[in-house]
Amino acid sequence: MQSVVAVSKGGLAISTSSAATAIRNPRRIGRVSLMSERQGFCSGARKVVSELNLGLGPVEMANVQGIFRSRDRSRYIPVHASSGDLEDVPSSKLEKKSSASVLPYVAVACLGAILFGYHLGVVNGALEYLAKDLGIAENTVLQGWIVSTSLAGATVGSFTGGALADKFGRTKTFILDSISSCNWCISQDVRTMIIGRLLAGVGIGISSALVPLYISEISPTEIRGALGSINQLFICIGILVALVAGLPLAGNPAWWRSMFGIAVIPSILLALGMLFSPESPRWLFQQGKITETETAIKRLYGKEKVAEIMLELKAGSVSSTEPDANWLDLFSKRYWKVVSVGAALFLFQQLAGINAVVYYSTSVFRKAGIASDVAASALVGAANVFGTAIASSLMDKKGRKSLLVTSFTGMAASMLLLSLSASWKALAPYAGTLAVTGTVLYVLSFSLGAGPVPALLLPEIFASRIRAKAVSLSLGMHWVSNFVIGLYFLSVVNKFGISVVYLGFSSVCVLAVLYILGNVVETKGRSLEEIERCFCIC
């Protein structure tokens, strides 16, 4: 027999008779759920309790008042009977236990992020050698198709990934995704290579939507930011692995096939790992599979958390009893504002010039006297990994919104420095040093927020019934803008000059800061259900 006292934004919901029974018989209390965020809610709860006229003595009333102490965020604190009084028991041990039990499954999901990064980076070093092997060394058009078909496939994958995840579940979609990474290393002609790159692109697109979605849905609230940003960190690691894998190419031109074949290893590990990973409890609950939901919660967080999380899921379902949304629902008045935020963040991410900076980094470093392409790429990659690691540690301390503002501000300043170093004659003697400094600072700033935060924030702000499809739509915007920028970037540079283009990127970063300040909400320390209820109220 358990009694639960719940305080939420909707106010205090408590039965007078059950409250009196619970307070006078504390052994019947198994857990008190405190879901208040602000002192206003706590003081309001104390006021309501004091006005209930339960006929409680001073000690009992003091115990009730103690329950509704102010908290900075949601807490679930077990209480035990002791001489008729309630005694708070520290929940840190329970939180650490539940956090640690999730890590193996997050690690399995991050294999998809490694594949994402590896497929993005592997073709850059191998293109020259595979072009000679396939007889298209003089045909830049076909070489361009080999590179760009993966972007086209990623666009398709990002749009379909959400629908597949809603239909079959997260883990089964991961297994399907892993299949797309196999077989294209054995291509003997251009046609099969292009088909293989297209399938790999579909896999990239699915991973880009699925990895952050799954991680956000299984991560405990208190470390969801850190675990969510790990997705971007492992993408960077995948790119670095692709760079390292290309080192033997100079001495062995046929090594490019082995480079592509390496991708099969994490693909197989991902498929096997997902066979033993629990399905997302939130997806199972949406499907009405209550028993399976409780089993998944036990595996992820331990049996002690089952009642608590089921209560949270049920509380969230009160405002979301509708079936999964269709694609047209995303453009309805009800959801369009929040969906447009997700799409805008990825649009700003691309229009801010990250791909242009990476593309030009080699030539920038050569002018500065760094002749090695590998060294230049390694420096950019190291800055990206370092910045993302810092972002992971700050995500749940500083918050998503503040990191985004800091990131785009740093990117704007770095782009301005790059523009001045390329155009201001007074800085000509220092142009190389300033260009390298600007490039590294830009990549570092990008990795602090603009890189990892959008993929983390989107699954948090979208309601459960639109979450998978809305994430897919936003990432579709990412891949479409990526494709368009890649298609027209060189033409724009040739027409206006790199200095003007850098200045344009700096202006976009300033616009992004203004947009974020006015439209993005902070989600740190809130459960997905709390965030959803907040948007429903708003």
Side-chain angles (χ1 to χ4, degrees), residues 154-220:
T155 304
V156 174
S158 65
F159 281 116
T160 58
L164 291 172
D166 275 343
K167 178 70 175 178
F168 302 109
R170 296 9 176 179
T171 55
K172 290 181 180 178
T173 306
F174 266 116
I175 295 172
L176 180 65
D177 176 35
S178 66
I179 299 174
S180 64
S181 298
C182 303
N183 297 328
W184 53 294
C185 59
I186 60 174
S187 301
Q188 298 297 322
D189 54 48
V190 176
R191 182 187 303 174
T192 54
M193 172 57 70
I194 290 177
I195 293 174
R197 287 289 292 168
L198 183 65
L199 291 175
V202 171
I204 290 173
I206 294 175
S207 292
S208 66
L210 194 57
V211 175
L213 176 65
Y214 181 73
I215 291 176
S216 71
E217 290 188 336
I218 69 170
S219 297

Side-chain angles (χ1 to χ4, degrees), residues 76-357:
Y76 299 92
I77 304 178
V79 293
H80 304 280
S82 178
S83 303
D85 295 332
L86 299 182
E87 177 187 354
D88 287 351
V89 176
S91 58
S92 57
K93 291 184 179 179
L94 186 59
E95 288 177 353
K96 289 179 181 179
K97 178 181 177 182
S98 63
S99 300
S101 61
V102 170
L103 295 181
Y105 307 116
V106 172
V108 171
C110 283
L111 289 171
I114 290 177
L115 279 170
F116 180 178
Y118 190 84
H119 282 309
L120 285 178
V122 71
V123 74
N124 292 332
L127 184 61
E128 176 185 351
Y129 300 93
L130 72 85
K132 292 178 181 178
D133 201 352
L134 299 179
I136 56 169
E138 305 299 324
N139 194 330
T140 55
V141 174
L142 285 178
Q143 291 182 40
W145 272 101
I146 290 174
V147 174
S148 61
T149 48
S150 62
L151 295 178
T155 304
V156 174
S158 65
F159 281 116
T160 58
L164 291 172
D166 275 343
K167 178 70 175 178
F168 302 109
R170 296 9 176 179
T171 55
K172 290 181 180 178
T173 306
F174 266 116
I175 295 172
L176 180 65
D177 176 35
S178 66
I179 299 174
S180 64
S181 298
C182 303
N183 297 328
W184 53 294
C185 59
I186 60 174
S187 301
Q188 298 297 322
D189 54 48
V190 176
R191 182 187 303 174
T192 54
M193 172 57 70
I194 290 177
I195 293 174
R197 287 289 292 168
L198 183 65
L199 291 175
V202 171
I204 290 173
I206 294 175
S207 292
S208 66
L210 194 57
V211 175
L213 176 65
Y214 181 73
I215 291 176
S216 71
E217 290 188 336
I218 69 170
S219 297
T221 301
E222 62 270 12
I223 60 168
R224 191 178 62 239
L227 293 183
S229 57
I230 285 178
N231 172 52
Q232 180 69 19
L233 178 62
F234 275 88
I235 291 173
C236 300
I237 290 173
I239 294 173
L240 282 177
V241 170
L243 173 66
V244 173
L247 292 178
L249 277 170
N252 182 11
W255 177 253
W256 70 268
R257 294 185 183 275
S258 299
M259 290 174 63
F260 290 157
I262 289 172
V264 176
I265 298 173
S267 298
I268 294 174
L269 292 176
L270 176 62
L272 292 176
M274 279 298 158
L275 286 175
F276 300 98
S277 296
E279 183 54 80
S280 162
R282 289 176 171 85
W283 181 81
L284 290 170
F285 188 82
Q286 281 182 281
Q287 308 305 309
K289 301 178 179 180
I290 304 302
T291 303
E292 290 90 337
T293 303
E294 293 176 345
T295 302
I297 293 172
K298 286 180 185 178
R299 292 184 63 190
L300 287 167
Y301 316 112
K303 63 181 180 180
E304 302 90 350
K305 304 281 283 185
V306 173
E308 171 189 315
I309 295 176
M310 289 299 296
L311 178 65
E312 185 75 12
L313 291 173
K314 289 173 183 177
S317 69
V318 170
S319 59
S320 181
T321 56
E322 303 156 284
D324 288 341
N326 58 48
W327 286 102
L328 292 178
D329 288 334
L330 302 183
F331 301 95
S332 66
K333 183 178 180 181
R334 177 181 177 184
Y335 291 121
W336 172 242
K337 182 177 180 180
V338 68
V339 171
S340 65
V341 169
L345 285 178
F346 275 109
L347 186 62
F348 279 125
Q349 184 191 69
Q350 293 302 305
L351 292 180
I354 180 61
N355 289 325
V357 168

